[in-house]
């Protein structure tokens, strides 16, 4: 005679079990439990998809704001490259450096927002986002003390590094392809605005 498992024992009636705590489960109960469990996973996926769709709907505004943010880059860069006034060139160079550091810090801070609000992230990825989020500000402030053109070229490299990080993780964050395309365009624009004056200052 085979001994009965200690956790459950059969009850009268097909397909019905009783747990060791005395709670009865039939096939319908178990089916509902499985559906509830799988439904929680589906709800997370639905939330991720809804967030991605909402962000996709905000892309026109993001493009306006993003490309608008390039205006100071190019206004200051043009002043450095073409102004005949030495004082204005120096002022524009400092202004370009300060603005580039500020935007670099902003790009890092965005990752804290991702870490705190994006659903379904692993603990390791959240930690990575939090740590990476402070690095651009620290790097930017450090680069600010480099002499002349090396400062701007270093900032250009930092912008590229942030983009590489974002392009590696954007799918895990549930971000749409349009977001990455916009990031690519804005990063390219900022880098070009920094490389010109930076190269001229070194030459």
């Amino acid at each position: 005679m085979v001994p009965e498992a200690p956790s459950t024992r059969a009850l009268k009636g097909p397909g019905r079990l009783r747990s060791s705590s005395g709670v009865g489960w039939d096939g319908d109960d178990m089916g509902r439990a499985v559906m509830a469990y799988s439904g929680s996973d589906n709800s997370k996926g639905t939330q991720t998809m809804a967030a991605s769709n909402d962000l996709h709907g905000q892309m026109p505004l993001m493009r306006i704001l993003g490309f608008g943010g390039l205006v100071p880059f190019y206004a200051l860069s043009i002043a450095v490259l073409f102004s005949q006034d030495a004082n204005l060139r120096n002022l524009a160079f400092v202004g370009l450096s300060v603005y580039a550091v500020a935007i670099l810090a902003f790009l890092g801070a965005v990752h804290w927002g991702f870490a705190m609000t994006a659903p379904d992230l692993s603990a390791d990825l959240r930690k990575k986002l939090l740590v990476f989020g402070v690095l651009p500000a620290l790097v930017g402030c450090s680069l600010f003390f480099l002499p002349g053109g090396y400062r701007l070229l270093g900032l250009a490299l930092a912008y590229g590094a942030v983009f590489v990080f974002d392009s590696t993780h954007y799918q895990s964050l549930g971000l749409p392809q349009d977001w990455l395309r916009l990031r690519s365009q804005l990063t390219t624009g900022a880098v070009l605005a920094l490389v010109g004056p930076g190269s001229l200052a070194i030459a």
Side-chain angles (χ1 to χ4, degrees):
M1 181 176 181
V2 180
E4 185 179 18
S7 59
T8 61
R9 59 187 178 84
L11 295 179
K12 292 181 179 180
R16 185 168 182 85
L17 298 175
R18 181 177 294 276
S19 68
S20 58
S21 62
V23 179
W25 288 78
D26 59 17
D28 291 339
D29 293 331
M30 297 181 69
R32 284 191 292 269
V34 171
M35 290 179 65
Y37 178 80
S38 61
S40 64
D41 290 340
N42 290 337
S43 66
K44 291 180 181 179
T46 302
Q47 291 173 357
T48 301
M49 183 177 296
S52 179
N53 290 337
D54 182 66
L55 184 60
H56 183 79
Q58 299 298 325
M59 288 304 300
L61 177 60
M62 293 175 66
R63 290 189 183 95
I64 293 173
L65 296 174
F67 287 111
L70 290 179
V71 172
F73 275 109
Y74 280 92
L76 294 167
S77 179
I78 290 171
V80 173
L81 292 172
F82 300 108
S83 176
Q84 301 299 317
D85 187 333
N87 291 329
L88 179 59
R89 284 200 307 271
N90 292 334
L91 182 61
F93 192 93
V94 173
L96 180 59
S97 302
V98 171
Y99 186 70
V101 171
I103 296 300
L104 186 63
F106 166 77
L107 292 177
V110 168
H111 296 87
W112 269 54
F114 289 148
M116 292 186 291
T117 61
D120 302 332
L121 296 184
S122 66
D124 288 341
L125 182 54
R126 288 191 193 277
K127 291 178 182 178
K128 185 183 294 186
L129 291 169
L130 290 172
V131 172
F132 186 83
V134 303
L135 292 180
L138 297 176
V139 170
C141 289
S142 300
L143 291 172
F144 190 81
F145 294 98
L146 290 180
Y150 295 103
R151 177 194 311 165
L152 297 185
L153 295 181
L155 287 168
L157 290 175
Y159 275 81
V162 175
F163 176 75
V164 170
F165 182 90
D166 288 344
S167 64
T168 302
H169 296 93
Y170 82 99
Q171 289 181 322
S172 299
L173 298 172
L175 298 171
Q177 184 71 30
D178 285 347
W179 178 87
L180 184 66
R181 186 178 300 110
L182 178 61
R183 282 283 288 110
S184 175
Q185 294 166 349
L186 296 178
T187 298
T188 301
V191 167
L192 291 176
L194 294 171
V195 167
S199 301
L200 180 65
I202 293 175

